[in-house]
Amino acid sequence: MSECCVCHERGIVETCAECKRRFHARCDGDTTAREGEDAWRCSDCRAVRAANAAEAAGAGCEIAATDLKRVPLGRSLTNALPAAKKRGRVNGPCSALSSFLEEKGIVAPRRAFSYSARSREEAAPASAAASATAASANAEEEEDHTASESDVEEPTATPARATRARGRGGLAAAAAGLDEALRGGEGKAKGTDSAKKRPAEAKGAKAVKKHKSADDDDADDDGANRPARPAHSTCGTCGVRVPGRILLCKDCQRRSLKKGKATGKAKKASALLDDLRGRMYSLQDLCIRVVSANINLVDAFGEIPPEAIDKICRLVCVQRRLASATLGPFLRDDTTALNLFDCADIEAESYHLIGPSCPNLTQLSLVNCGLIEGEALRTIGKHCSRLEHVVLDGCFRVADIDVAVFLDKLPALRRLELRNSMKIAVDTARAIAAKPRGLEHLALDTCTGFTDEALAALDHVHGLQSLSLANSELISNVSLVPFLERHGRHLQELCVRGLRRLGDDFGLAVAAHCPALAVLDLHGVDALSAAVLATIWKGCPKLTSADLTRVSKADDTCIAALSRAAPRLRHLRLNALPLLTPAGVLAAVKSLSDLEDLDISFIKGFDDAVLGKVLSACPRVAKVSVWGCTRVSRELLLSHPSLTLIGCSHL
């Protein structure tokens, strides 16, 4: 049951073999007239075919003449000829052909579809027979209005793309276009003398060319023809992703133009400037960037030096391209140091290739290795027994016993860093303490499962010079104080950042048993009193770096004692100390002639004048962090051009 194109109601309909429209018997009139068993045509199509047959036979047809007259005049089939005889001139609508096709039920498709503009070569010329018939049927009218013929555009072969007839001339051209549109290419007009083209038809061809650009615009309305998203590239300095083909990100462009106003050539040349060192990139650096950008096409590095491979790996990791498919070139027999700075996209099976492919490794760093499993770690330890420096960051799938077995297979291990793992506990601590040569550096950062019991198992370790327990929150005075009493005399670096369970007992143990301490990080240990802090400074005169961030009880007296006890300080962080004043900082730094890095973020009262006095007292200061100091401005850089000011809100 289909829908009739006339009454738009469902029922038993006939489908025209010519125009493919459907009609009820009562709507079309005669549905029994068939030219074959399955070929039926509607009354409109039969009329057109009869007109064509009459033209081919050299005889006129009233229906065909009426249709041809109606097209340029813009009138219906019933009143076109009487109106023309009555007034002698009929002014039709602007788009006569389009209205006629709409009247016949031929409607243009929606604009969501794509149309292609028709070239002028595709437009078939009007047939000589159609021109003769049209001229004989309208001889009188053509003689009256020959002088008033206007431009007429050539009709296209598709009804939906039919152009407008803008005048009363061009009758033959419009009729030929209508004939071709309704017949669908059947019975095209044969032969036309191009040398005798009427002036109106020539002008119509020019009009089609004039509006060709508009047709092209319509063809682009389709969603499939939309332009593709611009490809992303990487910054030439820092390697972050930037849209399009930009050479530098906004931050690197700002830094490259910081020392003066750059011209157009300077902006183009800034892509090759190394902003950190103030020099041009070497040929090796440029090659490293090209190789890292095309790492998926590299099978092996050949004779590239290890330092260059390390740089390539760092750039590949920054660009998030290190994966199982691109890991192969970095695994070589002669590799002694394998530093994978971002292993987040490496699959678990790929870790089994590291040990057999790199048996001569002495340094291994796996950062964000969340997919590595215990069996793969044991395989690495089995094949890489020469390892001296190991970094495992984020191995949360590896159990404590697997790490212990891995460490037992590394007799030459001297530096161990385990970060962001909640399964590191007593078994790992016992394996570390059993090392015959001991460890020089041990970092157990953010190991939330490492407790006082595990730290007590480290009592038998010897030769330890650097210890970091940052953010291992379960450590307290109960285990750390005895550990410092046994091993504190050799410690040179101690980091207890974020251990809020530590108190004054810990501070007194540091002052009494760590005389060689050079680096002390007390970030967030806010239970220490000002008196204990002053005691620590007296017991650690060799300090060169001190971090007192968020040690809330530190005041001006404490900082003054620090400057007197440790005059060799080069790095000092006084971030977020509510009891500290700018005057106390200025008085303390006057005796710190070697100070290079100073952090005074979120200390109230600092402005350009006070900070200028601090810089005058410490001429070696190259970097100052002023986060939250809203009264510090960039005008300070005019008098100190070599200073790096971090966190200034006015920059």
Side-chain angles (χ1 to χ4, degrees):
M1 304 291 286
S2 301
E3 183 178 309
C4 176
C5 67
V6 178
C7 63
H8 303 288
E9 296 180 358
R10 294 182 176 274
I12 300 177
V13 296
E14 291 284 352
T15 303
C16 178
E18 192 76 33
C19 61
K20 306 303 181 183
R21 294 181 297 169
R22 297 178 176 87
F23 297 88
H24 287 135
R26 64 179 181 274
C27 296
D28 183 66
D30 185 12
T31 58
T32 60
R34 295 176 176 268
E35 298 177 6
E37 183 178 355
D38 295 327
W40 175 84
R41 290 176 174 81
C42 63
S43 58
D44 294 334
C45 294
R46 291 199 304 272
V48 173
R49 291 177 65 86
N52 294 336
E55 292 173 6
C61 180
E62 184 176 355
I63 297 179
T66 305
D67 284 345
L68 296 178
K69 181 179 290 295
R70 175 247 177 261
V71 173
L73 299 180
R75 307 295 293 178
S76 63
L77 294 176
T78 57
N79 63 357
L81 189 58
K85 293 181 178 180
K86 182 177 180 180
R87 295 191 301 266
R89 176 181 298 183
V90 179
N91 294 323
C94 185
S95 180
L97 182 59
S98 299
S99 61
F100 169 72
L101 295 175
E102 184 177 358
E103 181 181 319
K104 292 297 182 181
I106 303 176
V107 183
R110 296 182 179 178
R111 291 183 59 121
F113 296 90
S114 177
Y115 306 103
S116 58
R118 190 188 64 159
S119 61
R120 289 196 296 173
E121 289 75 15
E122 296 176 1
S127 64
S131 300
T133 304
S136 61
N138 301 282
E140 295 181 355
E141 187 173 355
E142 291 296 330
E143 292 177 359
D144 294 339
H145 303 289
T146 302
S148 60
E149 290 179 351
S150 57
D151 297 348
V152 178
E153 297 182 8
E154 295 181 8
T156 59
T158 305
R161 304 294 296 169
T163 56
R164 297 177 177 179
R166 296 187 176 180
R168 293 175 299 278
L171 181 60
L178 175 62
D179 184 17
E180 182 181 355
L182 294 179
R183 288 184 298 167
E186 293 183 8
K188 291 186 178 180
K190 301 179 180 180
T192 299
D193 189 0
S194 59
K196 297 182 179 180
K197 181 185 294 186
R198 298 178 58 181
E201 295 179 29
K203 294 181 180 179
K206 295 181 180 179
V208 172
K209 182 178 180 180
K210 179 179 180 181
H211 295 285
K212 186 176 181 180
S213 60
D215 294 341
D216 294 339
D217 295 338
D218 293 339
D220 293 336
D221 290 340
D222 187 12
N225 294 332
R226 294 178 181 173
R229 295 180 61 185
H232 287 79
S233 59
T234 56
C235 175
T237 299
C238 60
V240 301
R241 293 182 66 186
V242 291
R245 297 185 178 180
I246 301 176
L247 298 179
L248 292 179
C249 64
K250 292 183 178 180
D251 294 337
C252 295
Q253 291 178 7
R254 189 181 301 110
R255 285 195 295 267
S256 63
L257 303 177
K258 181 179 178 181
K259 295 184 179 181
K261 186 176 181 182
T263 61
K265 294 183 179 180
K267 291 182 180 179
K268 295 180 181 178
S270 62
L272 300 177
L273 288 177
D274 190 344
D275 300 319
L276 300 178
R277 301 180 182 179
R279 62 177 178 82
M280 298 291 291
Y281 283 129
S282 63
L283 181 59
Q284 184 187 43
D285 293 337
L286 294 177
C287 294
I288 287 174
R289 295 178 183 276
V290 173
V291 172
S292 61
N294 300 275
I295 188 62
N296 56 331
L297 304 177
V298 178
D299 295 329
F301 289 121
E303 299 180 356
I304 297 180
E307 297 80 5
I309 296 178
D310 193 60
K311 292 181 180 180
I312 293 173
C313 183
R314 186 179 295 273
L315 284 177
V316 169
C317 293
V318 169
Q319 299 167 4
R320 300 301 301 272
R321 296 183 179 180
L322 183 62
S324 300
T326 57
L327 180 62
F330 298 100
L331 305 181
R332 305 189 305 175
D333 294 340
D334 58 345
T335 301
T336 57
L338 181 62
N339 299 315
L340 305 180
F341 302 96
D342 189 357
C343 306
D345 297 329
I346 298 179
E347 299 177 357
E349 294 77 7
S350 301
Y351 288 102
H352 291 273
L353 304 176
I354 295 179
S357 302
C358 307
N360 298 319
L361 281 180
T362 59
Q363 178 179 345
L364 175 64
S365 177
L366 303 177
V367 181
N368 296 333
C369 55
L371 298 180
I372 191 173
E373 298 177 349
E375 187 64 29
L377 192 61
R378 294 189 181 194
T379 304
I380 294 175
K382 178 181 178 180
H383 293 85
C384 305
S385 58
R386 301 180 183 179
L387 281 174
E388 300 178 0
H389 184 188
V390 175
V391 178
L392 298 177
D393 188 347
C395 53
F396 60 87
R397 286 189 176 183
V398 181
D400 185 27
I401 186 63
D402 293 327
V403 178
V405 173
F406 168 70
L407 296 178
D408 289 338
K409 299 178 180 180
L410 307 178
L413 187 64
R414 300 292 291 168
R415 300 178 64 87
L416 177 62
E417 300 179 20
L418 302 175
R419 305 192 188 101
N420 299 307
S421 177
M422 60 181 299
K423 297 183 179 181
I424 303 299
V426 179
D427 293 336
T428 300
R430 291 173 180 172
I432 294 173
K435 292 295 176 184
R437 296 178 56 185
L439 291 180
E440 296 179 356
H441 172 72
L442 176 62
L444 301 172
D445 298 341
T446 321
C447 295
T448 55
F450 202 80
T451 61
D452 288 335
E453 180 183 0
L455 184 59
L458 287 174
D459 284 347
H460 300 288
V461 71
H462 57 276
L464 192 62
Q465 300 179 4
S466 175
L467 176 64
S468 177
L469 301 173
N471 299 318
S472 298
E473 301 175 350
L474 300 181
I475 303 297
S476 64
N477 293 333
V478 176
S479 59
L480 188 55
V481 170
F483 183 87
L484 293 178
E485 291 176 354
R486 290 190 178 186
H487 309 286
R489 63 182 182 275
H490 300 295
L491 281 179
Q492 298 179 4
E493 299 180 5
L494 178 61
C495 176
V496 291
R497 173 187 298 240
L499 303 186
R500 298 182 178 275
R501 296 187 177 186
L502 301 181
D504 289 343
D505 294 340
F506 159 75
L508 296 176
V510 172
H513 303 289
C514 302
L517 205 61
V519 178
L520 180 60
D521 189 348
L522 301 176
H523 186 138
V525 187
D526 54 356
L528 296 175
S529 62
V532 173
L533 289 173
T535 305
I536 293 175
W537 312 145
K538 294 179 181 179
C540 304
K542 297 182 179 180
L543 279 177
T544 59
S545 177
D547 190 347
L548 301 178
T549 300
R550 299 185 183 278
V551 182
S552 57
K553 297 179 181 179
D555 54 7
D556 294 345
T557 305
C558 174
I559 302 304
L562 172 62
S563 63
R564 292 192 299 268
R568 300 179 183 177
L569 274 177
R570 291 184 296 173
H571 306 276
L572 180 59
R573 296 187 176 276
L574 307 174
N575 191 331
L577 301 182
L579 302 180
L580 197 61
T581 62
V585 175
L586 179 59
V589 299
K590 288 182 178 179
S591 58
L592 301 177
S593 58
D594 296 336
L595 192 63
E596 300 176 359
D597 184 7
L598 178 63
D599 186 356
I600 54 174
S601 300
F602 301 101
I603 296 180
K604 298 180 180 179
F606 262 98
D607 55 10
D608 290 345
V610 178
L611 186 56
K613 295 179 181 179
V614 171
L615 296 176
S616 300
C618 303
R620 294 188 179 182
V621 173
K623 183 175 68 173
V624 178
S625 299
V626 291
W627 296 102
C629 300
T630 58
R631 299 170 61 183
V632 177
S633 65
R634 62 179 302 173
E635 296 180 358
L636 192 66
L637 298 176
L638 299 177
S639 56
H640 300 81
S642 60
L643 178 66
T644 301
L645 202 59
I646 301 176
C648 182
S649 59
H650 298 284
L651 291 180

